[in-house]
Amino acid sequence: ESHLSLLPRMVCMRARFPVLLLLASACGSSGPSAPLDIAGTWTFGSSASNATLQVSCNQTGTVTITQNGSQFSGSYASTLTCTGPGVNTTTTPSGAISSGTVSGRHVAFNDDAGCQYAGAVAGLPTNVMSGSVDCNIALLGTSYPFSGTWTGTR
């Protein structure tokens, strides 16, 4: 047996608390568990703002997810309303979800509007997702950074 193949067992045998907690999943003999099932249609909402502009944007709609193991993609259809000084717009964006991953209860994905989402999945069966969102939103011909929160339920 090579030294490299012994390394995981040696690390597991010598692990000490709190490192033991970090290594527990790597040292288990049952192998990795299947990713949580998030495929299907979700009701979606997000709220993001830009403090400098004093503008906030709220989005509601649906997201349909297709999952293959720990990877997923999909599509969305929504209504986006942005309000603030000199801004009062409502649009109906739709598009694609890409680069989606599920790892344990952590979920991350992007949309084609330039937003990155990260968060957690909850419920048995999985019926709630929530987390943070960072976007660049175009207002009056210029793109501005926005950040906030999002939720999904099914």
Coordinates of all heavy atoms in Angstrom, one line a residue, residues 55-142:
V55 N -32.0 52.8 -3.0 CA -32.9 52.1 -3.9 C -33.0 50.7 -3.4 O -32.0 50.0 -3.1 CB -32.5 52.1 -5.4 CG1 -33.4 51.3 -6.2 CG2 -32.5 53.6 -5.9
S56 N -34.3 50.2 -3.3 CA -34.5 48.8 -3.0 C -35.3 48.1 -4.1 O -36.1 48.8 -4.7 CB -35.2 48.6 -1.6 OG -36.5 49.2 -1.7
C57 N -35.0 46.8 -4.3 CA -35.7 46.1 -5.3 C -36.3 44.8 -4.7 O -35.6 44.1 -3.9 CB -34.7 45.7 -6.4 SG -34.1 47.1 -7.3
N58 N -37.5 44.5 -5.0 CA -38.2 43.3 -4.6 C -38.6 42.5 -5.8 O -39.1 43.0 -6.7 CB -39.4 43.6 -3.7 CG -39.0 44.3 -2.4 OD1 -38.2 43.7 -1.6 ND2 -39.4 45.5 -2.2
Q59 N -38.4 41.2 -5.7 CA -38.7 40.3 -6.8 C -39.5 39.1 -6.3 O -39.2 38.5 -5.3 CB -37.3 39.8 -7.4 CG -37.5 39.0 -8.7 CD -36.2 38.7 -9.4 OE1 -35.1 38.8 -8.7 NE2 -36.2 38.3 -10.6
T60 N -40.5 38.7 -7.0 CA -41.3 37.5 -6.7 C -41.5 36.7 -8.0 O -41.5 37.3 -9.1 CB -42.7 37.9 -6.1 OG1 -43.4 38.7 -7.0 CG2 -42.5 38.6 -4.8
G61 N -41.6 35.4 -7.9 CA -41.9 34.6 -9.1 C -41.7 33.2 -8.8 O -41.9 32.7 -7.7
T62 N -41.5 32.4 -9.9 CA -41.3 31.0 -9.7 C -39.9 30.6 -10.3 O -39.4 31.2 -11.3 CB -42.4 30.2 -10.4 OG1 -42.4 30.5 -11.8 CG2 -43.7 30.4 -9.8
V63 N -39.3 29.5 -9.8 CA -38.1 28.9 -10.3 C -38.4 27.5 -10.5 O -38.9 26.8 -9.6 CB -36.9 29.1 -9.3 CG1 -35.7 28.4 -9.7 CG2 -36.6 30.6 -9.1
T64 N -38.0 26.9 -11.6 CA -38.1 25.5 -11.9 C -36.7 24.9 -12.0 O -35.9 25.4 -12.8 CB -38.9 25.3 -13.2 OG1 -40.2 25.9 -13.1 CG2 -39.1 23.8 -13.5
I65 N -36.4 23.9 -11.2 CA -35.1 23.4 -11.1 C -35.0 22.0 -11.7 O -35.9 21.1 -11.3 CB -34.6 23.4 -9.6 CG1 -34.4 24.8 -9.1 CG2 -33.3 22.6 -9.5 CD1 -34.1 24.9 -7.7
T66 N -34.0 21.7 -12.5 CA -33.7 20.3 -12.9 C -32.4 20.0 -12.3 O -31.4 20.7 -12.4 CB -33.6 20.3 -14.5 OG1 -34.8 20.8 -15.1 CG2 -33.3 18.9 -15.0
Q67 N -32.4 18.8 -11.6 CA -31.2 18.4 -10.8 C -30.6 17.1 -11.4 O -31.3 16.2 -11.8 CB -31.6 18.2 -9.4 CG -30.5 17.9 -8.4 CD -31.0 17.9 -7.0 OE1 -32.1 18.2 -6.7 NE2 -30.1 17.5 -6.1
N68 N -29.2 17.1 -11.4 CA -28.5 15.9 -11.7 C -27.4 15.7 -10.7 O -26.4 16.3 -10.7 CB -27.9 16.0 -13.1 CG -27.2 14.8 -13.6 OD1 -27.2 13.7 -12.9 ND2 -26.5 14.9 -14.7
G69 N -27.7 14.9 -9.7 CA -26.8 14.7 -8.6 C -26.7 15.9 -7.8 O -27.7 16.5 -7.4
S70 N -25.5 16.4 -7.6 CA -25.3 17.6 -6.8 C -25.3 18.9 -7.6 O -25.1 20.0 -7.1 CB -23.9 17.5 -6.0 OG -22.9 17.5 -6.9
Q71 N -25.5 18.8 -8.9 CA -25.6 19.9 -9.8 C -27.0 20.2 -10.3 O -27.8 19.3 -10.4 CB -24.7 19.6 -11.1 CG -23.3 19.1 -10.8 CD -22.5 20.2 -10.2 OE1 -22.4 21.3 -10.6 NE2 -21.8 19.9 -9.1
F72 N -27.3 21.5 -10.5 CA -28.7 21.8 -11.0 C -28.6 23.0 -11.9 O -27.7 23.8 -11.8 CB -29.7 21.9 -9.9 CG -29.5 23.1 -8.9 CD1 -30.1 24.3 -9.2 CD2 -28.7 23.0 -7.8 CE1 -29.9 25.4 -8.4 CE2 -28.6 24.1 -6.9 CZ -29.2 25.3 -7.2
S73 N -29.7 23.2 -12.6 CA -29.9 24.3 -13.5 C -31.4 24.5 -13.5 O -32.2 23.8 -12.9 CB -29.3 24.1 -14.9 OG -29.9 23.0 -15.5
G74 N -31.9 25.5 -14.3 CA -33.3 25.7 -14.3 C -33.7 27.0 -15.0 O -32.9 27.6 -15.7
S75 N -34.9 27.5 -14.7 CA -35.4 28.7 -15.3 C -36.2 29.5 -14.3 O -36.7 28.9 -13.3 CB -36.2 28.4 -16.5 OG -37.3 27.6 -16.2
Y76 N -36.4 30.8 -14.5 CA -37.2 31.6 -13.6 C -38.1 32.5 -14.4 O -37.8 32.9 -15.5 CB -36.4 32.4 -12.6 CG -35.5 33.4 -13.3 CD1 -36.0 34.7 -13.4 CD2 -34.2 33.1 -13.8 CE1 -35.2 35.7 -14.0 CE2 -33.5 34.1 -14.4 CZ -33.9 35.4 -14.5 OH -33.2 36.4 -15.1
A77 N -39.2 32.9 -13.8 CA -40.1 33.9 -14.4 C -40.5 34.8 -13.2 O -40.9 34.2 -12.1 CB -41.3 33.3 -15.1
S78 N -40.4 36.1 -13.3 CA -40.7 36.9 -12.1 C -41.2 38.3 -12.4 O -41.2 38.7 -13.6 CB -39.3 37.0 -11.3 OG -38.4 37.7 -12.1
T79 N -41.5 39.0 -11.3 CA -41.8 40.5 -11.4 C -40.8 41.1 -10.5 O -40.6 40.7 -9.3 CB -43.2 40.7 -10.9 OG1 -44.1 40.1 -11.8 CG2 -43.5 42.2 -10.9
L80 N -40.1 42.2 -11.0 CA -39.1 42.9 -10.2 C -39.6 44.4 -10.1 O -39.8 45.0 -11.1 CB -37.8 42.8 -10.9 CG -36.6 43.7 -10.4 CD1 -36.2 43.2 -9.0 CD2 -35.4 43.6 -11.3
T81 N -39.7 44.9 -8.9 CA -40.0 46.3 -8.6 C -38.9 47.0 -7.9 O -38.5 46.5 -6.8 CB -41.3 46.4 -7.8 OG1 -42.4 45.7 -8.6 CG2 -41.7 47.8 -7.6
C82 N -38.4 48.1 -8.4 CA -37.3 48.8 -7.8 C -37.9 50.2 -7.5 O -38.5 50.9 -8.4 CB -36.1 48.9 -8.6 SG -35.3 47.3 -8.9
T83 N -37.6 50.7 -6.2 CA -38.1 52.0 -5.8 C -37.0 52.8 -5.1 O -36.2 52.2 -4.4 CB -39.4 51.9 -5.0 OG1 -39.1 51.1 -3.8 CG2 -40.5 51.3 -5.7
G84 N -37.1 54.1 -5.2 CA -36.2 55.0 -4.4 C -36.2 56.3 -5.1 O -37.0 56.6 -6.0
P85 N -35.4 57.3 -4.6 CA -35.4 58.6 -5.2 C -35.2 58.6 -6.7 O -34.1 58.1 -7.2 CB -34.2 59.3 -4.5 CG -34.0 58.5 -3.2 CD -34.4 57.1 -3.6
G86 N -36.1 59.0 -7.5 CA -36.0 59.1 -8.9 C -36.2 57.7 -9.6 O -36.1 57.6 -10.8
V87 N -36.5 56.7 -8.9 CA -36.7 55.3 -9.4 C -38.0 54.7 -9.0 O -38.3 54.7 -7.8 CB -35.5 54.4 -9.0 CG1 -35.7 53.0 -9.5 CG2 -34.2 54.9 -9.4
N88 N -38.8 54.3 -9.9 CA -40.0 53.5 -9.6 C -40.3 52.7 -10.9 O -41.0 53.1 -11.8 CB -41.2 54.5 -9.3 CG -42.4 53.7 -8.8 OD1 -42.3 52.5 -8.6 ND2 -43.5 54.4 -8.6
T89 N -39.7 51.5 -10.9 CA -39.8 50.7 -12.1 C -40.3 49.3 -11.8 O -40.0 48.8 -10.7 CB -38.5 50.5 -12.8 OG1 -37.5 49.8 -12.0 CG2 -37.9 51.9 -13.2
T90 N -41.1 48.7 -12.7 CA -41.5 47.3 -12.5 C -41.2 46.6 -13.9 O -41.6 47.2 -14.9 CB -43.0 47.2 -12.2 OG1 -43.2 47.8 -10.9 CG2 -43.4 45.8 -12.1
T91 N -40.5 45.5 -13.8 CA -40.3 44.7 -15.0 C -40.6 43.3 -14.8 O -40.9 42.9 -13.6 CB -38.8 44.8 -15.4 OG1 -38.0 44.3 -14.3 CG2 -38.3 46.2 -15.7
T92 N -40.6 42.5 -15.8 CA -41.0 41.0 -15.7 C -39.9 40.2 -16.2 O -40.0 39.6 -17.3 CB -42.3 40.7 -16.3 OG1 -42.3 41.2 -17.7 CG2 -43.5 41.4 -15.6
P93 N -38.7 40.1 -15.6 CA -37.6 39.3 -16.1 C -37.9 37.8 -16.0 O -38.5 37.4 -15.1 CB -36.4 39.7 -15.2 CG -37.1 40.3 -13.9 CD -38.4 40.8 -14.3
S94 N -37.3 37.1 -17.0 CA -37.3 35.7 -17.0 C -36.0 35.2 -17.6 O -35.3 36.0 -18.3 CB -38.5 35.1 -17.7 OG -38.4 35.5 -19.1
G95 N -35.6 34.0 -17.3 CA -34.3 33.6 -17.8 C -33.8 32.2 -17.2 O -34.7 31.4 -16.7
A96 N -32.5 32.1 -17.2 CA -31.9 30.8 -16.8 C -31.2 30.9 -15.4 O -30.7 31.9 -15.1 CB -31.0 30.3 -17.9
I97 N -31.3 29.7 -14.7 CA -30.5 29.5 -13.5 C -29.3 28.6 -14.0 O -29.5 27.6 -14.7 CB -31.3 28.7 -12.5 CG1 -32.5 29.6 -12.1 CG2 -30.5 28.3 -11.3 CD1 -32.2 30.8 -11.3
S98 N -28.1 28.9 -13.5 CA -26.9 28.1 -13.9 C -26.0 27.9 -12.7 O -26.1 28.5 -11.7 CB -26.2 28.7 -15.1 OG -25.7 30.0 -14.7
S99 N -25.0 27.0 -12.9 CA -23.9 26.8 -12.0 C -24.5 26.4 -10.6 O -23.8 26.7 -9.6 CB -23.0 28.0 -11.9 OG -22.5 28.3 -13.1
G100 N -25.6 25.7 -10.5 CA -26.2 25.3 -9.3 C -25.5 24.1 -8.6 O -25.2 23.2 -9.3
T101 N -25.3 24.2 -7.3 CA -24.7 23.1 -6.6 C -25.4 22.9 -5.3 O -25.9 23.9 -4.7 CB -23.2 23.3 -6.3 OG1 -23.0 24.5 -5.5 CG2 -22.4 23.4 -7.6
V102 N -25.5 21.7 -4.9 CA -26.1 21.3 -3.5 C -25.0 20.5 -2.8 O -24.6 19.5 -3.4 CB -27.4 20.5 -3.7 CG1 -27.9 20.1 -2.3 CG2 -28.4 21.2 -4.4
S103 N -24.6 20.9 -1.6 CA -23.6 20.2 -0.9 C -24.1 20.2 0.6 O -24.1 21.2 1.2 CB -22.3 20.9 -1.0 OG -21.3 20.2 -0.2
G104 N -24.5 19.0 1.0 CA -25.1 19.0 2.4 C -26.4 19.8 2.3 O -27.2 19.6 1.5
R105 N -26.5 20.7 3.2 CA -27.7 21.6 3.2 C -27.4 23.0 2.5 O -28.2 23.8 2.4 CB -28.2 21.8 4.6 CG -28.8 20.6 5.2 CD -30.0 20.9 6.1 NE -30.7 19.7 6.4 CZ -31.8 19.3 5.7 NH1 -32.3 20.0 4.7 NH2 -32.4 18.2 6.0
H106 N -26.1 23.1 2.0 CA -25.7 24.4 1.3 C -26.2 24.3 -0.1 O -26.0 23.3 -0.8 CB -24.2 24.6 1.4 CG -23.8 25.8 0.7 ND1 -23.9 27.1 1.3 CD2 -23.1 25.9 -0.5 CE1 -23.4 27.9 0.4 NE2 -22.9 27.3 -0.6
V107 N -26.6 25.5 -0.6 CA -27.0 25.6 -2.0 C -26.4 26.9 -2.6 O -26.3 27.9 -1.9 CB -28.6 25.5 -2.2 CG1 -29.2 26.7 -1.5 CG2 -29.0 25.5 -3.6
A108 N -26.0 26.9 -3.8 CA -25.5 28.1 -4.5 C -25.8 28.0 -6.0 O -25.8 26.9 -6.6 CB -24.0 28.2 -4.3
F109 N -26.1 29.1 -6.6 CA -26.4 29.2 -8.0 C -26.4 30.6 -8.5 O -26.2 31.6 -7.7 CB -27.8 28.6 -8.3 CG -29.0 29.3 -7.6 CD1 -29.7 30.3 -8.2 CD2 -29.3 28.9 -6.3 CE1 -30.8 30.9 -7.6 CE2 -30.4 29.5 -5.6 CZ -31.1 30.5 -6.3
N110 N -26.4 30.8 -9.8 CA -26.4 32.1 -10.5 C -27.6 32.2 -11.4 O -28.1 31.2 -11.8 CB -25.1 32.2 -11.3 CG -23.8 32.1 -10.6 OD1 -23.8 32.5 -9.4 ND2 -22.8 31.6 -11.2
D111 N -28.0 33.4 -11.7 CA -29.0 33.6 -12.7 C -28.3 34.4 -13.9 O -27.3 35.0 -13.7 CB -30.3 34.2 -12.2 CG -30.1 35.7 -11.8 OD1 -29.2 36.4 -12.2 OD2 -31.0 36.1 -11.0
D112 N -29.0 34.4 -15.0 CA -28.4 35.1 -16.2 C -28.5 36.6 -16.1 O -28.1 37.3 -17.0 CB -29.0 34.5 -17.5 CG -30.5 34.7 -17.5 OD1 -31.2 35.2 -16.6 OD2 -31.1 34.3 -18.6
A113 N -29.1 37.1 -15.0 CA -29.2 38.6 -14.8 C -28.0 39.1 -14.1 O -27.9 40.3 -13.7 CB -30.5 39.0 -14.1
G114 N -27.0 38.2 -13.7 CA -25.8 38.6 -13.0 C -25.9 38.5 -11.5 O -25.1 39.1 -10.8
C115 N -26.8 37.7 -11.0 CA -26.9 37.6 -9.5 C -26.3 36.3 -9.0 O -26.5 35.3 -9.7 CB -28.4 37.7 -9.1 SG -29.2 39.2 -9.5
Q116 N -25.7 36.3 -7.9 CA -25.2 35.1 -7.3 C -25.9 34.9 -5.9 O -26.0 35.8 -5.1 CB -23.7 35.2 -7.0 CG -22.8 35.3 -8.2 CD -22.5 36.7 -8.5 OE1 -22.4 37.6 -7.6 NE2 -22.2 37.0 -9.8
Y117 N -26.4 33.6 -5.8 CA -27.2 33.2 -4.6 C -26.5 32.2 -3.8 O -25.9 31.3 -4.4 CB -28.6 32.6 -5.1 CG -29.4 33.6 -5.9 CD1 -29.2 33.8 -7.2 CD2 -30.5 34.3 -5.3 CE1 -30.0 34.6 -8.0 CE2 -31.3 35.1 -6.0 CZ -31.0 35.3 -7.4 OH -31.8 36.2 -8.1
A118 N -26.5 32.3 -2.5 CA -26.0 31.3 -1.6 C -26.9 31.1 -0.4 O -27.5 32.1 0.0 CB -24.6 31.7 -1.2
G119 N -27.0 29.9 0.1 CA -27.9 29.7 1.2 C -28.0 28.3 1.7 O -27.1 27.5 1.4
A120 N -29.1 28.0 2.3 CA -29.3 26.7 2.9 C -30.7 26.2 2.6 O -31.6 26.9 2.3 CB -29.2 26.8 4.4
V121 N -30.8 24.8 2.5 CA -32.0 24.1 2.3 C -32.5 23.5 3.6 O -31.7 23.1 4.4 CB -31.8 23.0 1.3 CG1 -33.0 22.2 1.0 CG2 -31.2 23.5 0.0
A122 N -33.8 23.6 3.8 CA -34.4 23.1 5.1 C -35.6 22.2 4.8 O -36.2 22.3 3.7 CB -34.7 24.2 6.0
G123 N -36.1 21.5 5.8 CA -37.3 20.7 5.7 C -37.1 19.3 5.3 O -36.1 19.0 4.6
L124 N -38.0 18.4 5.8 CA -37.9 17.0 5.4 C -39.4 16.7 4.9 O -40.2 16.5 5.7 CB -37.5 16.1 6.5 CG -36.1 16.2 6.9 CD1 -35.8 15.4 8.2 CD2 -35.1 15.8 5.8
P125 N -39.6 16.5 3.6 CA -38.7 16.7 2.5 C -38.3 18.2 2.4 O -39.0 19.0 2.9 CB -39.5 16.2 1.3 CG -40.9 16.5 1.7 CD -41.0 16.2 3.2
T126 N -37.3 18.4 1.6 CA -36.8 19.8 1.4 C -37.9 20.6 0.8 O -38.4 20.3 -0.3 CB -35.6 19.8 0.5 OG1 -35.9 19.1 -0.7 CG2 -34.4 19.1 1.2
N127 N -38.3 21.7 1.6 CA -39.4 22.5 1.1 C -39.1 24.0 1.3 O -40.0 24.8 1.1 CB -40.7 22.1 1.7 CG -40.7 22.2 3.2 OD1 -39.7 22.6 3.8 ND2 -41.8 21.8 3.8
V128 N -37.9 24.4 1.8 CA -37.6 25.7 2.1 C -36.1 26.0 1.7 O -35.3 25.1 2.0 CB -37.8 26.1 3.5 CG1 -37.3 27.6 3.8 CG2 -39.2 26.0 3.9
M129 N -35.8 27.1 1.0 CA -34.4 27.5 0.8 C -34.4 29.0 1.1 O -35.4 29.7 0.9 CB -34.0 27.3 -0.7 CG -33.8 25.9 -1.1 SD -33.0 25.9 -2.8 CE -34.5 25.9 -3.8
S130 N -33.3 29.4 1.6 CA -33.1 30.9 1.9 C -31.6 31.2 2.0 O -30.8 30.3 2.2 CB -33.8 31.3 3.2 OG -33.3 30.6 4.3
G131 N -31.3 32.5 1.8 CA -29.9 32.9 1.9 C -29.7 34.3 1.5 O -30.6 35.1 1.5
S132 N -28.5 34.6 1.0 CA -28.1 35.9 0.6 C -27.9 36.0 -0.9 O -27.7 35.0 -1.6 CB -26.8 36.3 1.2 OG -25.7 35.4 0.8
V133 N -28.1 37.2 -1.5 CA -27.9 37.4 -2.9 C -27.1 38.7 -3.1 O -27.3 39.7 -2.4 CB -29.3 37.5 -3.6 CG1 -30.2 38.6 -3.0 CG2 -29.2 37.7 -5.1
D134 N -26.3 38.6 -4.1 CA -25.5 39.8 -4.6 C -25.7 39.9 -6.1 O -25.6 38.9 -6.9 CB -24.0 39.6 -4.3 CG -23.7 39.6 -2.8 OD1 -24.0 40.6 -2.2 OD2 -23.2 38.6 -2.3
C135 N -26.1 41.1 -6.5 CA -26.4 41.4 -7.9 C -25.8 42.7 -8.4 O -25.5 43.5 -7.6 CB -27.9 41.5 -8.1 SG -28.9 40.1 -7.7
N136 N -25.8 42.8 -9.7 CA -25.6 44.0 -10.4 C -26.8 44.3 -11.2 O -27.2 43.6 -12.0 CB -24.4 44.0 -11.3 CG -23.1 44.0 -10.6 OD1 -22.9 44.8 -9.7 ND2 -22.2 43.1 -10.9
I137 N -27.6 45.4 -10.8 CA -28.9 45.7 -11.3 C -28.7 47.0 -12.2 O -28.2 48.0 -11.7 CB -29.9 45.8 -10.3 CG1 -30.1 44.5 -9.5 CG2 -31.3 46.3 -10.9 CD1 -31.1 44.6 -8.4
A138 N -29.2 46.9 -13.4 CA -29.2 48.1 -14.3 C -30.3 49.0 -14.0 O -31.5 48.6 -14.0 CB -29.2 47.6 -15.7
L139 N -30.0 50.3 -13.6 CA -31.0 51.3 -13.4 C -30.6 52.5 -14.2 O -29.5 53.0 -14.1 CB -31.1 51.7 -11.9 CG -31.6 50.6 -11.0 CD1 -31.4 51.1 -9.5 CD2 -33.1 50.3 -11.3
L140 N -31.5 53.0 -14.9 CA -31.3 54.3 -15.7 C -30.0 54.2 -16.6 O -29.3 55.1 -16.7 CB -31.3 55.5 -14.8 CG -32.5 55.6 -13.8 CD1 -32.2 56.8 -12.8 CD2 -33.7 55.9 -14.6
G141 N -29.8 53.0 -17.1 CA -28.7 52.8 -18.1 C -27.3 52.5 -17.4 O -26.3 52.4 -18.1
T142 N -27.3 52.4 -16.1 CA -26.0 52.1 -15.4 C -26.2 50.9 -14.5 O -27.3 50.7 -13.9 CB -25.5 53.3 -14.6 OG1 -25.4 54.4 -15.5 CG2 -24.2 53.0 -13.9

